[in-house]
Amino acid sequence: MRTKIIAGNWKMNNDIPQTIELINGLKTALAAQTVKATVIICPPYTSLGVAQQLIAGSVIKLGAQDVSLYDSGAYTGEISVAMLKSVGCSYIIVGHSERRQYHHESNEVINQKAKKVLAGGLLPIICVGETLDEREKNITNDVLTTQVKGCLAGLPAADVEKSIVAYEPVWAIGTGKTASKEQAEEAHRVIRSVITGLYSNETAEKVVIQYGGSVKADNAKELLSQPNIDGALVGGACLKADSFTAIITAA
Ligand code: 13P
């Protein structure tokens, strides 16, 4: 049985006072229940330090939203894996569609970042997903196959088994349009079968595949009850303690 993993991608939201308020709210809400899922928050870089202190002793784990390809040196504005490790991160999102779209990140770059993250002892959350245009052209499965193969290229099975893949259909992100449970489950099955083809059924069965794209308190349960949907990567709904908690409860 794969443990469900619920991650909140804060994107470019929350200054320090807002970070403190949100994490304190989350800790209070989660302390009132037995949390069975793994819970991760991915605040912006500026909030990671305060988040690390606030989550100490709670079930909440820390992640970052991106990372540099490089280890150190003259890369103005970049943050390394070692820096993120030292501020308490255990997970790093790589290849989010907003990075692919606005920063032109390719599968090759995302693959290199995933390798960096794993080499540094952290775990990547590798994002894949088709655009609306690609879905309408009926090439979703081809797009997902190319992305999964490109992002996992050269990774040994043991690393893939620890990694998280997030299926985030671009047309469902921040739009309020969620993939139906059937659409999401089908995409997750495709992703898992690509991993089976690249490695083995045993490896594919270990990989946690999250769904992301307008996950809310009221649709989380039906999505998370699908056999191949092992968690959620949540955007908008993770910015409020009550809605994020409701998704965690659903898991
Ligand atoms: P929304 O939940 O706001 O659609 O965002 C999803 C996402 O991009 C998480 O990484």
Side-chain angles (χ1 to χ4, degrees):
M1 260 298 270
R2 296 177 292 267
T3 303
K4 295 257 191 298
I5 303 183
I6 307 298
N9 175 8
W10 292 15
K11 308 193 179 183
M12 198 170 72
N13 292 292
N14 293 333
D15 60 15
I16 301 291
Q18 291 165 326
T19 296
I20 295 169
E21 189 187 334
L22 177 51
I23 294 178
N24 282 339
L26 206 50
K27 280 201 306 187
T28 306
L30 293 180
Q33 59 175 276
T34 309
V35 179
K36 296 205 185 116
T38 299
V39 178
I40 308 167
I41 55 168
C42 303
Y45 292 138
T46 45
S47 287
L48 289 173
V50 67
Q52 178 191 28
Q53 290 168 15
L54 288 168
I55 63 172
S58 80
V59 297
I60 305 167
K61 295 184 174 7
L62 198 58
Q65 297 173 18
D66 185 39
V67 69
S68 174
L69 275 179
Y70 305 105
D71 291 332
S72 65
Y75 300 102
T76 302
E78 296 283 285
I79 306 281
S80 72
V81 171
M83 291 169 180
L84 294 173
K85 193 173 183 178
S86 80
V87 76
C89 289
S90 327
Y91 299 86
I92 303 180
I93 299 171
V94 295
H96 192 280
S97 66
E98 287 147 19
R99 302 289 316 171
R100 292 177 185 261
Q101 187 181 348
Y102 305 132
H103 302 272
H104 311 292
E105 290 193 12
S106 62
N107 292 322
E108 291 70 32
V109 165
I110 297 158
N111 175 243
Q112 288 174 50
K113 287 188 175 186
K115 285 177 178 159
K116 275 274 167 219
V117 172
L118 286 155
L122 279 66
L123 300 177
I125 301 176
I126 301 167
C127 302
V128 296
E130 81 288 359
T131 62
L132 184 58
D133 186 47
E134 289 163 342
R135 176 161 285 270
E136 285 174 346
K137 284 186 183 140
N138 266 322
I139 56 169
T140 297
N141 294 357
D142 297 337
V143 170
L144 294 177
T145 302
T146 302
Q147 289 178 336
V148 171
K149 284 186 174 168
C151 292
L152 299 183
L155 284 176
D159 278 349
V160 172
E161 289 169 7
K162 297 188 284 195
S163 300
I164 300 168
V165 175
Y167 168 61
E168 295 209 311
V170 179
W171 49 272
I173 296 176
T175 58
K177 275 192 232 162
T178 319
S180 67
K181 60 181 194 307
E182 293 83 9
Q183 285 172 322
E185 171 63 14
E186 165 68 12
H188 284 230
R189 278 202 297 106
V190 169
I191 292 167
R192 208 177 297 286
S193 75
V194 174
I195 300 172
T196 300
L198 289 171
Y199 297 91
S200 65
N201 190 45
E202 199 194 343
T203 293
E205 286 299 322
K206 288 186 181 155
V207 180
V208 167
I209 307 178
Q210 294 177 316
Y211 169 79
S214 299
V215 177
K216 304 269 183 286
D218 59 7
N219 60 25
K221 198 161 186 173
E222 95 171 354
L223 286 161
L224 291 166
S225 62
Q226 298 303 303
N228 284 291
I229 301 185
D230 311 315
L233 183 54
V234 184
C238 80
L239 298 175
K240 293 266 180 304
D242 57 354
S243 49
F244 194 48
T245 303
I247 294 167
I248 294 163
T249 307

